[in-house]
Amino acid sequence: MKNLKKTEGEVAVSTTPLPGRGDLPARDLLLQAASELMIELGTPDVSLHAIARRAGVTAPLVKYYFGGKEGLLLALVERDTARSLAQLEGLHATNLDPLAKLKLHISGIARTYSRYPYLVGLLNHLLRESRTKASERIKTSFVTPLIEAQRRLVQEGIAAGQLRPIDPDKLYYIIVGACNYLFSSRLVFANIMGDHLSGPEFEREFAATVIDVILNGVRA
Amino acid sequence: MKNLKKTEGEVAVSTTPLPGRGDLPARDLLLQAASELMIELGTPDVSLHAIARRAGVTAPLVKYYFGGKEGLLLALVERDTARSLAQLEGLHATNLDPLAKLKLHISGIARTYSRYPYLVGLLNHLLRESRTKASERIKTSFVTPLIEAQRRLVQEGIAAGQLRPIDPDKLYYIIVGACNYLFSSRLVFANIMGDHLSGPEFEREFAATVIDVILNGVRA
């Protein structure tokens, strides 16, 4: 049985290592522990102490692997966004038409935020500290490529006559916001709208609805 | 000249009282100070000390007016959402068709988040503390009425054949997310996308684009 303890906003979370993870390297174990705690607590504001405890390692090991908490958070962002970025590159290499590409792109964004609901909060936190190296690395390795890839998709779609003329930068905020809000707010809405919000079926349906509304909204 | 001081994530903010506010009651002065600091810092995570200093009052006065920090945050949510709720009630009383109502409704949501970009973060923070009175009050006085009003609008629109059949709860997250993400993330994106993000013209255009994309997306 998990050792439940009230921490971080009085939500009961397990702080003991999960069983069957002994084969993961300590670095991955720490990233996984941070990810799980952020999901359970509904916020990226998780203490280093809680992360280390959950991973079953001591806090100095975090310093050894990541140089400190910011390094760990940065590595988590890189872990969580690696697949999206790879998919985005793959998407550009396909022969699909722009509308089909945009559909796969929105679906990838919805999947990323459903899997890592803390991601927007974590990115905002790291970007706000705008004089740090972490912030620069996030901008150049994730945020800028995502914005530019989406700009290109939208411009291709407009040029092909498949999309109505629309400002890609404004559409960026609409798409990311529409995909992200449910997932980032799910915990706090759970007892307002009922617990159906967290099932995998609702997630699939939600992603389908976002794609449907936005594609219908931008189609020429 | 304002007394600039680095606090709260190293953003330079003024902590001395603004001139010409002496006629505002201290209670309103505190709410206004909290609102301005949250906008300038790009986060609802502002210390009570900084709020009191900005308002030009001492911290014990916060306890006198609001019972403490949570009381102040709750009063700020109520101040910021009062106009939206009044407009929503007015909307239901009109003879407009459902699509026109939905358009005004989305426009009101975009305006609220543009004016109070910290609102979603603040609501999430207060709702997460789900055993407190503040959380219950926010649910019953703001979140539930907003969800229910929007459900009603969407159902009327579907019944009138103006909207495609769509789950109002999913649409709720899409609309609020699309309206809110730009404003809640504007500070951190300012030096990625350029400073045009913060002008009043961009805000008007952004709201118009959200309304355009979503209404086109849900129209029958």
Side-chain angles (χ1 to χ4, degrees):
Chain A
M1 197 181 150
K2 288 195 213 168
N3 168 28
L4 291 181
K5 193 155 182 288
K6 308 258 176 186
T7 48
E8 317 280 341
E10 299 192 11
V11 181
V13 293
S14 162
T15 54
T16 47
L18 296 175
R21 301 267 179 92
D23 49 340
L24 269 184
R27 190 182 182 281
D28 296 343
L29 218 52
L30 278 163
L31 293 177
Q32 191 54 26
S35 180
E36 288 170 10
L37 281 172
M38 289 175 185
I39 291 171
E40 287 168 31
L41 297 165
T43 169
D45 191 15
V46 175
S47 78
L48 199 52
H49 186 60
I51 296 170
R53 211 165 26 170
R54 170 70 159 256
V57 305
T58 58
L61 210 61
V62 175
K63 207 165 165 64
Y64 172 76
Y65 280 113
F66 304 102
K69 186 175 178 184
E70 191 178 272
L72 185 149
L73 297 182
L74 182 62
L76 186 61
V77 166
E78 287 177 345
R79 187 201 80 162
D80 293 352
T81 57
R83 192 199 296 219
S84 305
L85 287 172
Q87 282 174 338
L88 208 51
E89 280 171 29
L91 200 55
H92 279 298
T94 66
N95 285 324
L96 293 169
D97 68 69
L99 203 61
K101 281 185 190 172
L102 190 61
K103 183 173 176 174
L104 284 172
H105 173 61
I106 300 175
S107 147
I109 293 180
R111 203 168 41 240
T112 300
Y113 288 119
S114 122
R115 197 171 287 150
Y116 314 114
Y118 51 82
L119 200 49
V120 158
L122 185 55
L123 283 166
N124 278 2
H125 169 80
L126 287 169
L127 287 170
R128 206 159 39 219
E129 317 290 308
S130 64
R131 268 165 294 248
T132 66
K133 269 191 196 169
S135 164
E136 277 314 307
R137 222 163 111 185
I138 286 177
K139 275 182 213 163
T140 52
S141 72
F142 177 68
V143 181
T144 307
L146 188 66
I147 291 173
E148 281 173 2
Q150 194 170 302
R151 265 185 200 148
R152 191 147 53 126
L153 279 180
V154 172
Q155 280 154 354
E156 279 175 24
I158 296 170
Q162 286 195 304
L163 301 187
R164 299 188 294 128
I166 197 159
D167 177 351
D169 288 0
K170 296 195 183 80
L171 192 58
Y172 176 81
Y173 292 106
I174 294 174
I175 291 176
V176 175
C179 287
N180 144 68
Y181 182 58
L182 165 67
F183 301 117
S184 65
S185 303
R186 192 162 48 186
L187 272 192
V188 302
F189 276 104
N191 54 355
I192 297 177
M193 285 205 183
D195 57 8
H196 67 287
L197 292 181
S198 54
E201 198 182 341
F202 187 86
E203 286 184 14
R204 273 193 303 275
E205 286 173 9
F206 179 73
T209 306
V210 173
I211 294 168
D212 182 53
V213 169
I214 299 206
L215 284 189
N216 264 297
V218 297
R219 208 192 304 261
Chain B
M1 197 183 151
K2 288 194 214 169
N3 169 29
L4 290 182
K5 193 154 184 287
K6 309 256 175 187
T7 47
E8 317 277 342
E10 299 192 11
V11 180
V13 293
S14 162
T15 54
T16 47
L18 296 175
R21 301 267 179 93
D23 48 342
L24 269 185
R27 191 182 182 279
D28 295 343
L29 218 51
L30 278 163
L31 292 177
Q32 191 54 27
S35 180
E36 287 170 9
L37 281 173
M38 289 175 186
I39 291 170
E40 287 168 31
L41 297 165
T43 168
D45 192 16
V46 175
S47 78
L48 200 52
H49 186 60
I51 296 169
R53 212 165 27 171
R54 170 71 158 254
V57 304
T58 57
L61 211 61
V62 176
K63 207 165 166 60
Y64 171 77
Y65 279 113
F66 302 102
K69 186 176 178 184
E70 191 179 271
L72 185 148
L73 298 182
L74 183 62
L76 185 61
V77 166
E78 287 177 345
R79 186 200 80 161
D80 293 350
T81 58
R83 192 199 298 219
S84 306
L85 287 172
Q87 281 174 338
L88 208 52
E89 280 172 28
L91 201 55
H92 280 298
T94 66
N95 286 324
L96 294 169
D97 67 69
L99 204 61
K101 281 186 189 173
L102 190 61
K103 183 173 176 176
L104 286 172
H105 173 61
I106 299 174
S107 145
I109 293 180
R111 202 168 41 239
T112 301
Y113 288 119
S114 122
R115 197 171 287 152
Y116 314 114
Y118 51 80
L119 201 50
V120 157
L122 186 54
L123 282 167
N124 278 2
H125 169 79
L126 287 169
L127 287 170
R128 206 158 42 218
E129 319 288 309
S130 64
R131 269 166 293 251
T132 65
K133 269 191 196 169
S135 165
E136 278 313 307
R137 222 164 111 186
I138 285 177
K139 276 182 213 163
T140 53
S141 72
F142 176 68
V143 182
T144 308
L146 188 66
I147 291 173
E148 282 173 1
Q150 196 170 302
R151 264 184 201 149
R152 192 147 53 127
L153 279 179
V154 173
Q155 279 154 354
E156 279 175 22
I158 296 170
Q162 286 194 303
L163 301 187
R164 299 187 295 126
I166 197 160
D167 177 351
D169 289 359
K170 296 195 183 80
L171 192 59
Y172 175 82
Y173 291 106
I174 293 173
I175 291 176
V176 175
C179 287
N180 144 68
Y181 182 59
L182 166 67
F183 301 117
S184 65
S185 302
R186 191 163 49 189
L187 272 191
V188 302
F189 276 104
N191 54 353
I192 297 177
M193 285 207 186
D195 58 8
H196 66 287
L197 291 183
S198 54
E201 198 182 342
F202 187 85
E203 285 185 15
R204 272 195 304 275
E205 285 173 10
F206 179 73
T209 307
V210 173
I211 293 168
D212 181 53
V213 169
I214 299 210
L215 284 189
N216 263 298
V218 297
R219 209 192 304 260

